[in-house]
């Protein structure tokens, strides 16, 4: 089991950058595929980025490709989401998520249902 705590949310203007962090408890962090999910006002939860347990593979939802970067530091039990050129439509609660990948795959989880563990979320608000 892993517990996740996000930080770094806030209020920014369109075009600004923001970095979210998520720190995980436990000594098995490096086994987990990690991701970031967001839920905007009156919208469903969407997986926007994922990273394999070793950090070598990443995945992005189309609307954030080229603007968001997911990374991880297994020594610090932390995953990051660097968000650049933020848009008002990026306004959402951002959740850090974790799941165990299949043993012989690429370690990357690209479906929301594959993530079993969720943080409490951090609010990101982008004003125009």
């Amino acid at each position: 089991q892993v517990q996740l705590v996000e930080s770094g949310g806030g209020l920014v203007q369109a075009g600004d950058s923001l970095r979210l962090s998520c720190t995980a408890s436990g000594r098995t962090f490096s086994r987990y595929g990690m991701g970031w999910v967001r839920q905007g006002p009156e919208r469903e939860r969407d997986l926007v980025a994922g990273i394999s347990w070793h950090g070598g593979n990443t995945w992005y939802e189309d609307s954030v490709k080229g603007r968001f970067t997911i990374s991880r530091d297994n020594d610090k039990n932390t995953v990051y989401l660097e968000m650049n050129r933020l848009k008002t439509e990026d306004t959402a609660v951002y959740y850090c998520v974790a799941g165990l990948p299949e043993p012989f795959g690429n370690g990357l989880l690209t479906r929301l249902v594959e993530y079993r563990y969720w943080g409490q979320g951090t609010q990101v608000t982008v004003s125009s």
Side-chain angles (χ1 to χ4, degrees):
Q1 188 170 355
V2 62
Q3 294 179 327
L4 307 170
V5 178
E6 304 96 337
S7 61
L11 172 64
V12 296
Q13 292 187 327
D16 285 351
S17 298
L18 200 61
R19 188 175 81 158
L20 305 182
S21 300
C22 169
T23 301
S25 65
R27 293 179 291 179
T28 59
F29 174 74
S30 60
R31 295 176 54 195
Y32 288 87
M34 301 296 297
W36 289 93
V37 171
R38 70 183 180 187
Q39 185 170 22
E42 300 180 359
R43 300 185 66 176
E44 296 182 351
R45 291 179 173 181
D46 291 321
L47 180 66
V48 296
I51 189 167
S52 57
W53 61 267
H54 47 75
N57 295 312
T58 57
W59 173 90
Y60 299 95
E61 193 265 335
D62 286 346
S63 69
V64 307
K65 281 182 182 177
R67 300 189 299 121
F68 290 12
T69 302
I70 188 171
S71 61
R72 67 189 297 162
D73 185 337
N74 286 345
D75 290 335
K76 296 182 178 179
N77 279 20
T78 301
V79 63
Y80 305 97
L81 185 67
E82 183 75 32
M83 304 184 292
N84 297 314
R85 303 195 307 278
L86 282 161
K87 305 176 181 179
T88 55
E89 52 263 46
D90 294 320
T91 294
V93 177
Y94 284 74
Y95 299 90
C96 176
V97 291
L100 286 173
E102 293 295 322
F104 302 108
N106 65 2
L108 188 60
L109 306 176
T110 59
R111 296 182 302 150
L112 189 59
V113 68
E114 296 178 294
Y115 290 95
R116 179 176 180 182
Y117 302 103
W118 291 62
Q120 292 300 307
T122 185
Q123 177 70 46
V124 173
T125 302
V126 184
S127 64
S128 59

